[in-house]
């Protein structure tokens, strides 16, 4: 019997729906080529839904998602609503609710033209950032005292647990081992200023002893941002805490061609996991057919790879790489001159051609 995958679709706000549509069409094409089927369940959560119903993200939806194979998310956020309301309820709600403790962010440059750094090409930029995804300042431990008065105090705790730190570090070592490249793992922290990060340093050393084949490196977050621009080739696999990973991966996305091309997976290995482009909802570009769907299409590619469909994932990645490498697509920004729909169609044309070419027939 043909395999079937149940995927929750959460297009969300702004450019989310239009980029997600291209990712879904690409997924459908791969399903047809590879002979599996898809059961897609759309969810309406986001700003419009909230404004109509006052519902952000109900517990029942999270429970339904638990029973799916994967979740594909577009983007969440709307300037008409209080800052972070939907992001915390939906994005953090799913990350924490499903305990998706790895935020995996591949940074790979497909063509030198996409990179704003002088003299850097695809051979210099190919890294995997493993961001911890359930702790740190995102854990929501904090609050206000005397709110709104001149004596106001605001506190937000940087929480790290031994279990939380260890499992993400272990994931990163395993990933470094699976990667063909450098067999090197770099810990990025700020242990010189944030004493609690000594837990990361110690855990990294202890777990690292079980991986003698992986070289251990270290960089403080401030230096890591500098190296990322100066010598990105220095990085192979990187592991870091939640907030530093958030910041580092926006910077890293720029050196691979911008937020339009960057994708991520929020994973709990072996369980339902969430895939999304790194970009946000970009409301000013919404509905204009100018947003790049590549980040979302590459999120779908990561989803397939996670579900155990590496051939389909590879078809997508090679097709995207080809569009940039041949110069057919020159930018992943809103200035590419190629519409959202057209870019999606170009990817699918390349996928069809690759799938039917004799060298790829097996
Ligand atoms: C990301 C985003 C989110 C984060 C926001 C939208 C809450 O920036 O996925 O990187 O900070 O994690
Ligand atoms: Mg971010």
């Amino acid at each position: 019997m043909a395999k079937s995958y149940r995927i929750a679709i959460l297009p969300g706000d702004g450019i989310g729906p239009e980029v997600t549509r291209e990712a879904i069409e690409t997924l459908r094409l791969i399903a047809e080529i590879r002979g599996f089927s898809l059961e897609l369940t759309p969810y309406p959560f986001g700003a419009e839904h909230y404004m109509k119903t006052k519902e952000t993200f109900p517990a029942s939806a999270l429970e339904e998602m638990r029973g799916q194979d994967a979740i594909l998310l577009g983007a969440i956020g709307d300037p008409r609503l209080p800052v972070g309301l939907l992001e915390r309820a939906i994005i953090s709600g799913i990350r924490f609710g499903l305990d998706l403790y790895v935020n995996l962010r591949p940074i790979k440059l497909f063509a030198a033209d996409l990179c704003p750094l002088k003299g850097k090409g695809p051979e210099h930029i190919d890294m995997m950032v493993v961001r911890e995804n359930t702790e740190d300042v995102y854990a929501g431990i904090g609050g206000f005292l005397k709110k709104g008065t001149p004596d106001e105090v605001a506190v937000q705790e940087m929480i790290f647990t031994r279990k939380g730190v260890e499992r993400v570090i272990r994931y990163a070592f395993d990933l470094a081992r699976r990667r063909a490249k450098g067999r090197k793992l770099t810990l990025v922290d700020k242990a010189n200023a944030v004493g609690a990060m000594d837990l990361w340093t110690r855990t990294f050393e202890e777990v690292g002893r079980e991986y003698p084949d992986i070289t251990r490196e270290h960089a403080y977050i401030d230096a890591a941002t500098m190296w990322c621009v100066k010598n990105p080739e220095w990085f192979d696999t990187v592991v870091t805490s939640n907030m530093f990973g958030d910041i580092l991966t926006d910077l890293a996305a720029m050196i691979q061609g911008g937020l339009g091309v960057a994708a991520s997976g929020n994973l709990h290995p072996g369980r339902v996991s969430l895939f999304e482009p790194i970009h946000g909802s970009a409301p000013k570009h919404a509905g204009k057919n100018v947003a790049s769907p590549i980040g979302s299409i590459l999120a779908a590619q990561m989803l397939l790879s996670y579900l155990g469909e590496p051939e389909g994932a590879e078809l997508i990645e090679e097709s995207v790489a080809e569009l940039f490498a041949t110069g057919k697509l020159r930018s992943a920004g809103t200035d590419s001159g190629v519409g959202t729909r057209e870019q999606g169609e170009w990817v699918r044309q390349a996928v069809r051609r690759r799938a039917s070419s004799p060298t790829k027939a097996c």
Side-chain angles (χ1 to χ4, degrees):
M1 217 179 73
K3 272 193 240 158
S4 178
Y5 298 109
R6 286 160 306 157
I7 302 174
I9 307 286
L10 222 163
D13 301 319
I15 59 172
E18 54 198 296
V19 299
T20 305
R21 185 172 57 187
E22 299 311 313
I24 293 173
E25 282 192 28
T26 309
L27 276 177
R28 287 195 201 279
L29 174 64
I30 297 289
E32 193 187 305
I33 293 169
R34 299 293 313 163
F36 57 82
S37 62
L38 296 170
E39 242 179 89
L40 307 181
T41 309
Y43 288 88
F45 308 112
E48 292 302 329
H49 180 79
Y50 176 76
M51 286 187 301
K52 264 188 255 149
T53 63
K54 288 284 166 283
E55 178 178 63
T56 54
F57 185 64
S60 58
L62 188 73
E63 287 318 305
E64 279 172 40
M65 287 177 183
R66 230 182 262 286
Q68 309 264 318
D69 295 309
I71 305 161
L72 182 68
L73 181 134
I76 299 292
D78 189 300
R80 293 169 294 178
L81 297 177
V83 174
L85 173 81
L86 293 178
E87 291 88 329
R88 278 196 295 274
I90 303 175
I91 300 181
S92 300
I94 300 176
R95 287 177 182 170
F96 283 80
L98 299 179
D99 196 27
L100 305 177
Y101 66 89
V102 172
N103 194 326
L104 183 63
R105 301 191 158 185
I107 306 296
K108 190 169 178 174
L109 179 64
F110 291 123
D113 285 354
L114 294 175
C115 183
L117 304 179
K118 198 166 54 183
K120 300 293 177 192
E123 68 277 24
H124 300 108
I125 298 171
D126 179 8
M127 65 179 100
M128 279 284 192
V129 181
V130 177
R131 164 186 173 190
E132 201 289 324
N133 213 26
T134 54
E135 303 195 335
D136 202 344
V137 287
Y138 284 77
I141 306 291
F144 301 90
L145 182 67
K146 302 182 184 172
K147 195 168 183 179
T149 74
D151 297 324
E152 179 162 354
V153 179
V155 178
Q156 186 99 4
E157 298 287 352
M158 210 173 213
I159 302 286
F160 304 119
T161 67
R162 170 70 198 212
K163 278 186 191 162
V165 170
E166 184 169 333
R167 65 182 179 174
V168 78
I169 286 181
R170 222 168 253 293
Y171 176 90
F173 273 110
D174 286 333
L175 177 67
R177 200 171 253 178
R178 288 200 302 277
R179 267 167 70 74
K181 218 189 149 201
R183 299 211 149 217
K184 182 166 85 166
L185 179 63
T186 306
L187 170 66
V188 171
D189 65 29
K190 189 66 192 169
N192 55 345
V194 180
M197 289 207 106
D198 184 52
L199 178 58
W200 281 82
T201 315
R202 278 182 283 121
T203 310
F204 187 68
E205 287 306 313
E206 281 169 35
V207 174
R209 277 184 226 126
E210 295 171 35
Y211 296 82
D213 51 321
I214 307 295
T215 308
R216 299 199 286 277
E217 302 266 11
H218 174 264
Y220 295 125
I221 179 64
D222 48 351
T225 57
M226 181 267 290
W227 287 116
C228 193
V229 170
K230 192 169 180 291
N231 291 103
E233 63 277 10
W234 192 68
F235 293 107
D236 174 19
T237 308
V238 175
V239 65
T240 190
S241 56
N242 205 341
M243 176 112 109
F244 295 157
D246 177 46
I247 298 166
L248 187 62
T249 52
D250 264 25
L251 176 73
M254 291 317 292
I255 67 167
Q256 71 172 143
L259 288 175
V261 77
S264 67
N266 300 256
L267 320 174
H268 186 126
R271 294 199 201 161
V272 55
S273 293
L274 164 79
F275 299 84
E276 54 175 333
I278 291 192
H279 65 67
S281 57
K284 71 172 187 231
H285 298 304
K288 297 186 181 150
N289 195 37
V290 295
S292 170
I294 300 294
S296 188
I297 290 173
L298 289 175
Q301 177 261 330
M302 293 181 77
L303 179 153
L304 286 176
S305 165
Y306 183 77
L307 290 181
E309 293 291 342
E311 300 86 355
E314 203 176 312
L315 269 175
I316 297 182
E317 185 172 342
E318 285 174 352
S319 301
V320 168
E322 175 192 313
L323 290 185
F324 288 118
T326 57
K328 185 165 167 127
L329 197 51
R330 294 188 178 278
S331 147
T334 50
D335 58 350
S336 72
V338 188
T340 311
R341 285 220 59 99
E342 291 72 19
Q343 291 189 40
E345 199 38 57
W346 282 3
V347 173
R348 291 186 291 278
Q349 274 165 14
V351 165
R352 279 189 210 99
R353 190 173 32 70
R354 284 177 170 273
S356 62
S357 89
T359 50
K360 287 269 166 186
C362 53

